[in-house]
Amino acid sequence: METLWRVPLIKAFSRTCWNDEYFLFNPASGYTHVLNQLSIDIIDLLAESPCGTRDAQSRMIDTWRIDADEQAGFAQRIEEHLHQLCYLGLISDGTFDDTLLIPR
Amino acid sequence: MLFRTGPFLTRLESSLPMLSDTLDLLYGQRPVEAEDQLIDFHIQVRRRPGLRGRLRPQAVFSTDMDTPFYPFPLDQAYPLFEWGLNYCIAMQSHQYLMLHSAVLEKNGRVLLLPAPPGSGKSTLCAALSYRGWRLLSDEFGLLRPDSGLIDPLPRPIPLKNRSIDVFKAFEPSAVVGPTYPGTRKGDVAHVHPGEEALRRWREAARPAWVVFPRFDPDETTRLHDFAKGRAFLKLSGNAFNYPLQGRRGFHAVDRIIRECSTWYLPFRNLDEAVAVLDELAARSLSDDGGS
């Protein structure tokens, strides 16, 4: 079964931006993360609608208008970012009921 | 003894003359408060009792039921009190976002000097406080997260090791307390915060400049632009209770970075650093048409 990536805490995040760097505060961890444009776009895409890895890759390729000869490498980067964002606790792979984490 | 330091009221119990003498010297005409007020910190600094205390005289700091430090040599009772008061503020004052920063004010605008130990922050802060800048705090930027104002916490400025003589040469008329040799932070002496700073403890002000200072005898003293994103990380990373504040803290730091100019200031001596910061303040005033 394919992983379903999503952003359960999107409404709780705070963010700001300077010079193409995004600063995202996660109240569940108390950490402020420095993210690049690609990571922010992935989070926004998953916040709009949860999806699997292939769907995320496809949508990001469209959004970023990646040339055909660069799509394979870009898709690999997307997958790596998904796992990294999940590791940081910013997105979820749906393996546990993370809705419990949403601050009230 | 009941006395006020900025927004905090402290009850200090101690019969150690070496502590009360230095308090009288460095807090000067501190406001003596009436007894019927809510007290923020109950502090005792006492001589260690028993045989060990007689063989090796020591001072013990305690607050309510907590004794957070090992005893200090008795003659270091005053620095023990100051570090203990820092501990009380850092552990209990979460109504504020507590920035680890020196804070001074000129023309109603606040200069933040966040910096790690060893960067010359306190020495520069003391120098500015004797050159027309009002000291709000050497250690704690007490930021009200909702209004963006910083409350004063005027207390003696601790100088360490070589900076003690550097500052005394810079301002021979300054009131400096006794030097305590061989403390856990080296030799320490405290500079009087200035009567104006003590008198104006109610006057909060809004940050205008964030300057990251660093003493470096080999560098030219001048201001360098400091990227806002880096400034955000350094300022939030320097706050004592940033994670605890949650989104409130994030937005408070974000607001400071948006509203302030952000700079890096290497400096090779105090005179040059003071001149550069005076010019920064004057430039902002003229940019505002002298308002």
Side-chain angles (χ1 to χ4, degrees):
Chain A
M1 194 174 75
E2 190 182 29
T3 301
L4 184 68
W5 302 103
R6 58 200 180 90
V7 195
L9 292 169
I10 188 67
K11 288 181 181 169
F13 289 155
S14 295
R15 75 166 75 167
T16 189
C17 175
W18 288 287
N19 303 326
D20 299 330
E21 277 186 320
Y22 290 85
F23 297 79
L24 189 74
F25 179 73
N26 180 358
S29 68
Y31 290 131
T32 300
H33 302 271
V34 185
L35 301 176
N36 58 17
Q37 185 70 53
L38 185 62
S39 301
I40 279 290
D41 284 355
I42 291 171
I43 287 172
D44 287 345
L45 177 133
L46 297 178
E48 195 179 296
S49 61
C51 63
T53 303
R54 284 182 193 173
D55 194 12
Q57 289 166 325
S58 164
R59 289 163 64 189
M60 287 296 290
I61 284 169
D62 288 346
T63 303
W64 279 55
R65 297 179 184 171
I66 302 297
D67 291 339
D69 57 341
E70 294 176 353
Q71 288 180 359
F74 186 76
Q76 180 63 32
R77 277 180 68 199
I78 298 299
E79 185 166 5
E80 287 166 3
H81 271 66
L82 286 167
H83 287 285
Q84 187 67 20
L85 291 170
C86 184
Y87 172 73
L88 293 172
L90 298 176
I91 67 173
S92 164
D93 60 5
T95 52
F96 71 102
D97 184 8
D98 41 29
T99 56
L100 295 173
L101 291 173
I102 299 174
R104 293 172 193 282
Chain B
M1 180 186 303
L2 195 62
F3 69 102
R4 179 169 289 284
T5 46
F8 306 119
L9 202 54
T10 299
R11 180 190 293 284
L12 171 64
E13 292 176 35
S14 179
S15 57
L16 300 176
M18 69 285 284
L19 176 57
S20 56
D21 290 352
T22 310
L23 274 172
D24 287 344
L25 174 70
L26 293 176
Y27 283 83
Q29 302 297 314
R30 62 182 179 274
V32 178
E33 302 281 342
E35 288 284 330
D36 58 347
Q37 297 192 49
L38 288 173
I39 294 167
D40 295 280
F41 311 122
H42 295 264
I43 290 173
Q44 298 90 39
V45 181
R46 296 198 169 110
R47 184 175 176 137
R48 185 175 188 171
L51 182 59
R52 182 175 287 191
R54 281 205 292 277
L55 292 172
R56 192 173 160 200
Q58 289 179 316
V60 179
F61 176 95
S62 54
T63 172
D64 297 325
M65 300 302 287
D66 189 13
T67 305
F69 309 119
Y70 288 114
F72 275 39
L74 190 62
D75 57 8
Q76 293 177 10
Y78 181 75
L80 173 63
F81 161 74
E82 286 289 346
W83 287 324
L85 185 54
N86 284 349
Y87 169 84
C88 291
I89 294 168
M91 298 302 287
Q92 296 181 42
S93 309
H94 301 300
Q95 69 271 38
Y96 294 106
L97 176 66
M98 290 182 275
L99 305 170
H100 186 200
S101 174
V103 188
L104 299 113
E105 175 265 339
K106 195 167 201 177
N107 304 322
R109 295 173 168 199
V110 163
L111 165 69
L112 292 171
L113 296 171
S119 56
K121 164 183 70 85
S122 292
T123 321
L124 178 57
C125 174
L128 289 164
S129 74
Y130 278 80
R131 289 290 186 277
W133 292 73
R134 175 169 65 109
L135 174 74
L136 272 71
S137 176
D138 165 62
E139 187 79 5
F140 290 94
L142 295 180
L143 178 75
R144 298 185 211 161
D146 299 325
S147 70
L149 294 170
I150 294 199
D151 277 344
L153 180 61
R155 291 171 55 200
I157 303 165
L159 301 181
K160 294 190 276 292
N161 303 318
R162 281 187 54 222
S163 65
I164 299 168
D165 287 337
V166 168
F167 177 72
K168 284 179 175 175
F170 174 82
E171 182 53 64
S173 70
V175 177
V176 183
T179 297
Y180 300 95
T183 75
R184 290 169 196 180
K185 296 188 177 183
D187 298 349
V188 174
H190 298 77
V191 179
H192 189 287
E195 292 301 333
E196 187 189 7
L198 291 173
R199 185 169 46 79
R200 295 174 61 190
W201 67 266
R202 286 184 180 84
E203 294 180 33
R206 190 173 297 284
W209 313 283
V210 180
V211 177
F212 298 93
R214 186 166 68 89
F215 172 68
D216 186 338
D218 300 323
E219 277 259 26
T220 303
T221 304
R222 75 177 182 91
L223 288 168
H224 302 255
D225 276 327
F226 197 81
K228 295 262 182 180
R230 300 296 104 183
F232 180 94
L233 286 180
K234 281 182 78 101
L235 196 61
S236 58
N238 265 313
F240 292 100
N241 59 344
Y242 173 75
L244 197 66
Q245 289 284 326
R247 289 202 289 185
R248 200 166 167 243
F250 178 91
H251 289 297
V253 176
D254 186 36
R255 178 175 180 174
I256 289 178
I257 299 299
R258 286 190 188 285
E259 293 181 352
C260 294
S261 60
T262 54
W263 308 92
Y264 164 60
L265 175 63
F267 65 99
R268 60 187 172 194
N269 65 58
L270 292 175
D271 285 305
E272 289 182 357
V274 170
V276 163
L277 292 170
D278 279 345
E279 189 189 335
L280 178 67
R283 204 164 62 218
S284 300
L285 201 61
S286 65
D287 288 349
D288 287 354
S291 62

